[in-house]
Amino acid sequence: MTDVWEYAPAPESRDVVDLRSEYGLFIDGEFVEPAAGGAFKTVNPATEEVLAAVAQADATDVDRAVTAARRAQTEVWGPMPGAQRAKYLYRLARVLQERARELAVLETLDNGKPIKESRDVDVPMAAAHFFSHAGWADKLDHAGYGLDPRPLGVAGQIIPWNFPLLMAAWKLAPALATGNTTVLKPAETTPLTALLLGEILQQIDLPPGVVNIVTGAGETGRALVEHPGVDKIAFTGSTSVGKQIQRALAGRPTRLTLELGGKAANIIFDDAALDQAVEGIVNGIFFNQGHVCCAGSRLLVQESVLEPVLDKLKRRLGTLRVGDPLDKNTDLGAINSSEQLARITELVDSGVEQGADRWQPDCALPDRGYWFAPTVFTGVSQSHRIAREEIFGPVLSVLTFRTPDEAVTKANNTPYGLSAGVWTEKGSRILWMAQHLRAGVVWANTFNRFDPTSPFGGYKESGFGREGGRHGLAHYLAV
Ligand code: NAD
């Protein structure tokens, strides 16, 4: 019998967060009331507690934000020397570090992700993104974009709920470093860290209008996309909304980058270090409850090692702790919303109906809030919906292969192309696989590794454009 350690509760205190009951829109450096006065509620998905009422921006508010961004771009931020812009970005990065605990607790309350992830991944990586891009701001003339590369102007930036602060950082850092101003629209279920970021922008004295934050649901995003004063739309979210945006912008000069969904293959060869590979499988699909666009949601295992991989995986999953996201020992937190929980449940039910075998470890789920136990499907065929559609939850579909060719064919048999993982001891095989996999990112003997200097983005229905590094900057420059 394996010993399972009992952990005493180790909750992070939420006292560090000064939660307000109402939040306005952040326009032209101030928090303001929305024109029509509408509001929506944001809840803690782990408890269903209402956290705050947040202003609902309509087309009038979006217009105000775009006007403020335009003025700030032409009068202040665009003409400002890059070295000066860099100072603001460094300052912002340092304040994110100083207020890291507050940001991490607020992210966990609003999103449901485990505090150890918001504390160790989301917030430090958001700061790292600003540090990295601050270093570019004064070097753009020498970065291979030609002489005197120009910003595009005003960027409209729309982000999802899975990494709220981090996605805001991915969007804002390259736009600001290159001299653009922005109107950011956070997701409707997770607006709070973006609004705290607005307070931090006031704290660092960022000139008014350089960053504007409009909260609301799809209609607010649509108003931003349709605004004629926006020079570029950067969107991260679902493939279906990405397609709608592409249609809305057809025939207009607005630049567009799309970071969309994924259905990544995580491929385990029989010579891989299996214990490490199992850690990579767990990280690949259960990190952030599987709410990860590049999650390794399709596990491809070489047939000869299927049994030991599944044995080790199930044993490991039995040790995962699911529950209170504010507890420092929690591995899997809450599903972000009741809608997302319903979507996961529907897809998992379809897996059972279509004949795959579902396995879940013994784990008690809290009574209140939105929860889903870690789930592994075996006996999956490529035609099953759980092998084709993005589930965006803690659900792994296991398939097998015999040869590297078969692994590549199966891995590429998807409309998506965001990421892939390869586990093998053979360097030559890693290179061969990386050449043949149609994915924007290929990880070798690791998974879900991110770095602000490394471009991230997809092929096919995973979108186009890259975020991060030199490649990401180019999408905000008139080159
Ligand atoms: P979503 O597309 O429903 O929403 C994303 C954002 O778009 C939200 O802010 C939403 O309010 C807004 N929106 C909705 N309808 C809109 C419209 N018609 N016009 C403009 N904006 C609109 O996606 P989601 O459920 O929030 O996020 C999950 C999806 O995001 C998954 O498919 C995931 O793979 C993807 N994602 C991709 C990446 C990446 O880098 N490729 C990263 C994170 C998430």
Side-chain angles (χ1 to χ4, degrees), residues 158-163 167 170 185-188 216-223 225 235-242 244-245 258-262 291-294 340 390 392 416 418 456-458 462 467:
I158 301 170
I159 54 174
W161 44 261
N162 56 342
F163 294 93
M167 287 298 108
W170 278 32
K185 197 205 80 68
E188 55 272 36
E219 279 309 303
T220 310
R222 196 197 304 262
V225 169
F235 173 79
T236 298
S238 60
T239 296
S240 63
V241 173
Q244 285 175 40
I245 291 176
L258 296 175
E259 300 277 359
L260 308 176
H291 300 329
V292 183
C293 49
C294 51
Q340 188 58 25
E390 185 182 45
F392 222 57
Y416 296 109
L418 194 53
F456 181 88
S462 293
E467 291 189 315

Side-chain angles (χ1 to χ4, degrees), residues 111-439:
N111 173 279
K113 65 174 69 200
I115 186 71
K116 72 174 178 191
E117 291 180 7
S118 43
R119 182 194 63 198
D120 297 346
V121 182
D122 296 62
V123 179
M125 284 203 354
H129 227 74
F130 284 109
F131 274 121
S132 178
H133 285 81
W136 278 111
D138 61 346
K139 301 173 191 69
L140 298 171
D141 289 349
H142 315 287
Y145 304 117
L147 287 176
D148 196 21
R150 313 297 306 161
L152 297 173
V154 174
Q157 308 186 307
I158 301 170
I159 54 174
W161 44 261
N162 56 342
F163 294 93
L165 180 71
L166 184 59
M167 287 298 108
W170 278 32
K171 292 281 178 276
L172 296 177
L176 299 182
T178 46
N180 297 273
T181 57
T182 88
V183 178
L184 176 78
K185 197 205 80 68
E188 55 272 36
T189 58
T190 54
L192 295 183
T193 45
L195 293 165
L196 180 52
L197 185 66
E199 288 177 30
I200 291 173
L201 298 177
Q202 289 179 323
Q203 182 187 344
I204 67 158
D205 287 327
L206 187 76
V210 173
V211 173
N212 305 274
I213 302 167
V214 290
T215 41
E219 279 309 303
T220 310
R222 196 197 304 262
L224 185 55
V225 169
E226 289 175 356
H227 197 292
V230 171
D231 301 297
K232 185 220 161 85
I233 292 288
F235 173 79
T236 298
S238 60
T239 296
S240 63
V241 173
K243 286 180 181 178
Q244 285 175 40
I245 291 176
Q246 198 173 14
R247 273 195 292 271
L249 292 182
R252 279 177 45 190
T254 319
R255 295 262 293 264
L256 176 65
T257 42
L258 296 175
E259 300 277 359
L260 308 176
K263 190 75 188 173
N266 201 0
I267 305 165
I268 318 291
F269 283 96
D270 59 5
D271 65 336
L274 293 189
D275 289 317
Q276 286 168 33
V278 165
E279 288 307 307
I281 296 165
V282 172
N283 174 29
I285 185 63
F286 299 110
F287 169 61
N288 202 31
Q289 296 74 245
H291 300 329
V292 183
C293 49
C294 51
S297 52
R298 283 184 301 151
L299 181 66
L300 297 186
V301 187
Q302 197 153 19
E303 226 168 70
S304 48
V305 289
L306 179 65
E307 218 170 291
V309 167
L310 284 180
D311 284 350
K312 285 172 188 284
L313 180 63
K314 288 179 178 175
R315 215 174 314 136
R316 179 70 178 89
L317 293 182
T319 69
L320 289 185
R321 288 175 297 275
V322 185
D324 180 7
L326 276 176
D327 192 309
K328 292 170 211 153
N329 293 323
T330 291
D331 297 304
L332 241 79
I335 301 303
N336 180 250
S337 63
S338 57
E339 292 78 17
Q340 188 58 25
L341 180 59
R343 180 170 162 70
I344 296 169
T345 309
E346 194 266 323
L347 273 160
V348 165
D349 289 348
S350 84
V352 175
E353 275 159 30
Q354 292 190 311
D357 300 315
R358 177 180 50 187
W359 180 89
Q360 292 172 325
D362 264 345
C363 71
L365 300 179
D367 296 332
R368 283 185 70 76
Y370 316 128
W371 303 93
F372 204 87
T375 301
V376 176
F377 273 109
T378 50
V380 179
S381 86
Q382 290 189 83
S383 61
H384 288 164
R385 285 181 66 203
I386 52 169
R388 291 185 291 117
E389 295 180 33
E390 185 182 45
I391 300 175
F392 222 57
V395 183
L396 181 68
S397 298
V398 184
L399 298 112
T400 58
F401 66 93
R402 291 182 184 173
T403 64
D405 274 327
E406 190 187 350
V408 166
T409 307
K410 284 187 168 165
N412 288 343
N413 182 17
T414 165
Y416 296 109
L418 194 53
S419 65
V422 180
W423 297 80
T424 171
E425 292 290 280
K426 257 190 168 173
S428 58
R429 183 179 282 157
I430 290 171
L431 295 175
W432 186 87
M433 291 293 291
Q435 272 173 349
H436 290 84
L437 289 167
R438 290 282 292 160

